[in-house]
Amino acid sequence: GKVSGIVGTHTHVQTNDARILPGGTAYITDLGMGGALNSMIGVKKEILLQKMLTQMPVRYEVENEPPYVLSGVIIEVDTETGKAQSIETIYLTDNQPL
């Protein structure tokens, strides 16, 4: 309850555990990612597959091809107390209107 929100990220896949903790802190383990949906952590997948198969170093190239994804959360905070009132997950692809 000392902070309004704690958000984590690492796996790049949004978790389904968004909640308000007992002290009033909004929490989610992983926000998810933003970028090219058909990539491997934002990198062209063919390059990373080559690296895994050959065990040789490769130069990473950012994947820029659609479809794209945007994921995250919206946290509503009480301005008087600083406590989170709600946490809402967002997961949009470029096939969905904003």
Side-chain angles (χ1 to χ4, degrees):
K2 299 210 185 247
V3 297
S4 301
I6 297 176
V7 298
T9 187
H10 179 72
T11 62
H12 310 285
V13 176
Q14 189 176 70
T15 54
N16 189 23
D17 62 348
R19 62 190 175 120
I20 306 294
L21 299 173
T25 299
Y27 172 85
I28 187 169
T29 301
D30 196 320
L31 290 170
M33 67 171 266
L37 182 60
N38 296 322
S39 68
M40 295 173 81
I41 63 171
V43 176
K44 292 183 178 185
K45 58 184 175 274
E46 298 80 13
I47 292 170
L48 291 178
L49 289 172
Q50 176 186 353
K51 180 179 179 172
M52 284 188 264
L53 292 172
T54 65
Q55 298 296 304
M56 297 297 292
V58 296
R59 181 178 296 271
Y60 288 178
E61 293 179 42
V62 174
E63 180 61 79
N64 293 316
E65 294 297 316
Y68 304 109
V69 64
L70 171 68
S71 55
V73 293
I74 296 174
I75 300 172
E76 185 178 345
V77 177
D78 183 314
T79 56
E80 298 287 321
T81 66
K83 308 277 183 198
Q85 294 182 319
S86 66
I87 181 169
E88 178 185 351
T89 59
I90 300 168
Y91 185 86
L92 301 170
T93 66
D94 58 348
N95 297 330
Q96 298 169 309
L98 293 176

